[in-house]
Amino acid sequence: MNSQSQDRLDRVEQLLAWTAEQTAANSREIRELCQSIQELRQSIQESRTQSAEQAAAQAQSLRELQQVVSETRSDLAHLAEWAEEVTQALVTLTALQREHERAIQAINQRQAETDQRFNVLLEEVRYLIRRQGSDGNSPPSSV
C-alpha cells in the first residue's frame, strides 16, 4: 500500500470514528429527547387530569352558585311581597291614625263646647240663685 492509500485509509478510519462518535452522541441525545418527551407527555396527562378535576369542581361550584342565586331570587320575591304588604299596612295604619286624631279633635271640640255650655248654664243658675236671693225668696231646698 502506498502512502496515499494509507492516508486515505487513515482519513476514512478517522471519519468513521468521528461518525461513530457523532452517531453515539446523537443516539444519546435522541434517548434523552425521548425521555424528555415521555416526561412531557406524563406532565401533560397529569395537567389534563388536574384540569379535568378542576373543571368538574368548578362546574359543581357553578351549579351550587346557580342554586343559591335561584333561592335568593325566590327569597327576594317573597321579601318584595312582604314589603308591599307592610307598606299597605302602614298606609292603612296612617289613615286610621289620622281618622283617630280627627275623632279625638272632634271629641275635644264637643267637650269644649259642652264645657262652655255647662259654664254658661252654671252662670245662669248662679245668676238666678243670686237674683232669687236678692228678691227675698229663699232658695229652693233642692238646689
Side-chain angles (χ1 to χ4, degrees):
M1 225 194 266
N2 66 19
S3 133
Q4 260 183 351
S5 294
Q6 186 61 39
D7 285 343
R8 279 188 195 161
L9 185 57
D10 287 343
R11 280 175 93 205
V12 167
E13 286 177 356
Q14 286 175 352
L15 284 173
L16 284 173
W18 180 81
T19 304
E21 288 175 12
Q22 290 299 314
T23 302
N26 288 343
S27 293
R28 280 191 305 273
E29 288 179 19
I30 290 172
R31 279 192 301 277
E32 289 172 1
L33 285 174
C34 286
Q35 185 177 356
S36 293
I37 289 171
Q38 184 63 29
E39 290 171 0
L40 286 173
R41 283 181 180 165
Q42 188 175 0
S43 277
I44 289 170
Q45 183 61 34
E46 289 172 1
S47 293
R48 284 182 181 169
T49 301
Q50 288 175 352
S51 293
E53 290 171 356
Q54 289 174 350
Q58 289 173 348
Q60 178 63 30
S61 294
L62 182 59
R63 284 190 295 274
E64 291 171 1
L65 181 60
Q66 288 171 333
Q67 179 67 28
V68 168
V69 167
S70 176
E71 291 171 1
T72 301
R73 283 183 179 157
S74 177
D75 291 346
L76 287 174
H78 291 302
L79 182 61
E81 290 174 10
W82 177 80
E84 181 62 28
E85 291 172 6
V86 168
T87 301
Q88 290 300 322
L90 287 173
V91 167
T92 302
L93 285 174
T94 301
L96 288 173
Q97 184 178 7
R98 287 182 186 146
E99 186 178 316
H100 178 66
E101 288 171 358
R102 283 192 295 271
I104 294 284
Q105 284 177 332
I107 289 170
N108 288 340
Q109 181 68 29
R110 284 193 298 266
Q111 184 65 45
E113 291 170 359
T114 300
D115 289 349
Q116 188 178 9
R117 283 194 302 269
F118 176 78
N119 287 333
V120 169
L121 288 174
L122 184 60
E123 285 302 315
E124 287 179 13
V125 167
R126 286 181 182 157
Y127 171 77
L128 290 173
I129 290 173
R130 280 193 303 270
R131 193 172 139 205
Q132 190 177 19
S134 63
D135 288 343
N137 297 333
S138 60
S141 62
S142 62
V143 178

